[in-house]
Amino acid sequence: MTDHAPYASDPSRSRGRRYAEPPPANRTEFQRDRDRIIHANSFRRLEYKTQVFVNHEGDWFRTRLTHSLEVAQIARVIAASLKLDVDLTEAIALAHDLGHTPFGHAGQDELNRCLQELVPEAGGFEHNLQSLRVVDELEERYPAFNGLNLCFETREGILKHCSLNNARKLGEIGQRFIDRTQPSLEAQLANLADEIAYNNHDVDDGLRSGLITLEQLLTVPIVSQHYDAVRIRWPDIPEKRAIAETIRQMINTLIMDVTITTQARIQAANPTSADEAKACGPLVAFSDEIRLQADELKRFLLKELYRHYRVSRMTTKAKRVVRELFEAFLMQPELLPPEYRHDDRASQARAIADYIAGMTDRYAMVEHRRLFQIDESF
Ligand code: MG
């Protein structure tokens, strides 16, 4: 293994796959995981799923696919500086959103609510758990097993959060939530890279959509600080370019900050193996100062963008679509494609959740029209 620190995850010492397979010939185990994720159906579908904006609102907004690529890019850079396993980091980053429903968090919240209210015995819906379910069960591409049969380390990284209740049912992979230990440094990093990516691209998409203005944004110190520096250096460039440069510099600052802070924390804790690193508490982090600044930006985005009335209209419609689909399928399972039908109510509800969660924004809207409008094709 080249250029790995002692605390990095080592692909030659993986805890293995659920179904034993011969080792890959010309790549590491974690590279094989990353490659399997890229070829998965659920990965391609990320192109038509969105976080804040519905897919048809404009071609220029991020989708979950471009978001995942940005997360992977940011995570890879930091992983290389810290001498972590770049491929494991990338695999986790690319897979982290595979379990997301259509219509972003609104869709997920509503699907969870439907399950909790109507079929409590099925357990609710958690998107991290669903990402794991996608790679463990739902992908159907290999003759010998369901799912992608990924390494333990990749699966553990994908399961970012999990309720204690569900963790107990998961066995080995849920154990860390019970033991209160951390996932690998690679997983911690993919998680923080997710935050860096979405805060910055939501600023970008928010401005582009016209839902937030530059004037508003400049009340947030981390933004104004970088924007002012750009304007001092390039007073005459067009606004669009100045904004792009501001965002680029913000991402750079955050990447540098995580790298330096994490390096120092690793040095202080001094783990001598990947397993030791997990027991050290969270090591991948922003500095206190940047953490405060990033939180301020998050609060701004929550208030001004995610709760913007035009986003709320979309969110409300999205929830209605998800609820009406869920209720219609639960009441009349014969409306479902045959492979999604089950005899007992809990399995039926879970299959409906899988079906809905797998839909793209557009497919969910088309399916909703097919079920509720008489003039549409069936
Ligand atoms: Mg994400």
Side-chain angles (χ1 to χ4, degrees):
M1 208 169 58
T2 54
D3 225 17
H4 278 56
Y7 43 79
S9 297
D10 179 348
S12 64
R13 298 173 61 185
S14 165
R15 280 168 77 174
R17 301 174 187 274
R18 293 166 86 203
Y19 308 95
E21 289 186 70
N26 43 15
R27 36 184 188 165
T28 71
E29 295 284 4
F30 298 152
Q31 284 171 345
R32 173 152 73 178
D33 280 7
R34 176 203 55 206
D35 298 347
R36 286 185 175 184
I37 291 159
I38 289 174
H39 287 276
N41 290 325
S42 50
F43 184 69
R44 271 193 309 283
R45 267 187 246 134
L46 294 176
E47 185 176 359
Y48 301 104
K49 293 191 183 198
T50 40
Q51 317 213 98
V52 180
F53 300 92
V54 170
N55 201 274
H56 67 263
E57 286 182 327
D59 293 341
W60 52 84
F61 299 126
R62 264 68 170 189
T63 67
R64 280 204 187 269
L65 182 63
T66 59
H67 161 68
S68 301
L69 295 174
E70 289 179 24
V71 175
Q73 182 274 322
I74 291 166
R76 253 190 344 243
V77 172
I78 305 171
S81 307
L82 296 173
K83 298 192 187 327
L84 299 177
D85 189 276
V86 175
D87 307 307
L88 175 60
T89 311
E90 187 178 19
I92 295 168
L94 292 175
H96 85 282
D97 270 351
L98 290 180
H100 260 289
T101 61
F103 314 124
H105 288 284
Q108 173 208 312
D109 293 347
E110 194 60 20
L111 192 52
N112 185 36
R113 216 164 288 138
C114 287
L115 276 163
Q116 303 271 17
E117 283 170 17
L118 301 172
V119 197
E121 67 271 29
F125 184 87
E126 296 175 19
H127 70 91
N128 284 298
L129 195 57
Q130 189 70 9
S131 296
L132 184 67
R133 194 166 152 73
V134 166
V135 300
D136 277 359
E137 300 292 339
L138 300 179
E139 281 287 334
E140 296 176 323
R141 324 182 44 78
Y142 298 91
F145 45 77
N146 280 340
L148 305 178
N149 197 30
L150 302 179
C151 293
F152 178 88
E153 293 74 10
T154 311
R155 297 170 59 231
E156 190 186 55
I158 290 171
L159 191 63
K160 190 166 57 181
H161 305 291
C162 178
S163 61
L164 266 185
N165 214 359
N166 280 323
R168 287 195 194 96
K169 291 181 209 151
L170 287 170
E172 203 189 10
I173 202 83
Q175 193 56 40
R176 78 172 181 87
F177 297 97
I178 298 160
D179 298 345
R180 296 174 174 277
T181 55
Q182 299 298 310
S184 65
L185 295 174
E186 286 82 358
Q188 294 179 41
L189 177 52
N191 189 13
L192 206 56
D194 185 23
E195 185 184 333
I196 297 177
Y198 67 67
N199 279 334
N200 282 284
H201 65 50
D202 288 350
V203 165
D204 195 23
D205 285 352
L207 284 171
R208 226 181 278 252
S209 64
L211 297 186
I212 51 177
T213 63
L214 182 61
E215 203 188 349
Q216 279 178 301
L217 252 177
L218 292 179
T219 62
V220 185
I222 193 170
V223 183
S224 61
Q225 198 178 295
H226 287 92
Y227 180 81
D228 291 348
V230 169
R231 274 304 178 198
I232 287 168
R233 184 146 177 221
W234 294 285
D236 302 322
I237 55 169
E239 201 73 285
K240 224 167 75 178
R241 227 175 255 254
I243 290 166
E245 179 60 18
T246 302
I247 292 170
R248 195 183 73 78
Q249 292 198 11
M250 280 201 298
I251 295 175
N252 258 338
T253 300
L254 296 171
I255 286 177
M256 285 307 295
D257 184 76
V258 172
T259 310
I260 292 166
T261 309
T262 304
Q263 232 148 19
R265 290 168 74 113
I266 290 173
Q267 226 160 43
N270 198 24
T272 58
S273 68
D275 278 338
E276 259 183 56
K278 291 182 185 186
C280 290
L283 291 177
V284 180
F286 289 130
S287 64
D288 292 345
E289 191 200 330
I290 290 283
R291 178 77 270 168
L292 287 173
Q293 290 190 8
D295 286 347
E296 209 163 333
L297 176 59
K298 276 166 96 162
R299 273 197 301 277
F300 170 87
L301 288 170
L302 180 67
K303 183 161 169 270
E304 306 298 340
L305 181 62
Y306 310 145
R307 290 184 186 155
H308 191 286
Y309 80 95
R310 280 172 54 200
V311 174
S312 297
R313 287 182 184 187
M314 188 281 286
T315 311
T316 304
K317 279 191 283 189
K319 287 183 174 181
R320 187 176 307 137
V321 168
V322 167
R323 176 167 290 267
E324 288 180 357
L325 285 176
F326 188 90
E327 288 176 350
F329 290 138
L330 188 67
M331 209 139 46
Q332 273 185 285
E334 65 271 24
L335 300 177
L336 283 162
E339 65 270 28
Y340 288 98
R341 291 182 212 155
H342 289 265
D343 290 331
D344 78 286
R345 196 167 153 89
S347 314
Q348 183 59 80
R350 181 57 55 200
I352 294 169
D354 288 339
Y355 184 48
I356 294 176
M359 293 178 185
T360 61
D361 296 1
R362 197 175 43 183
Y363 189 87
M365 291 186 282
V366 168
E367 189 77 336
H368 187 264
R369 275 205 301 274
R370 278 189 197 130
L371 286 173
F372 293 98
Q373 286 185 21
I374 202 83
D375 55 330
E376 282 287 330
S377 67
F378 46 86

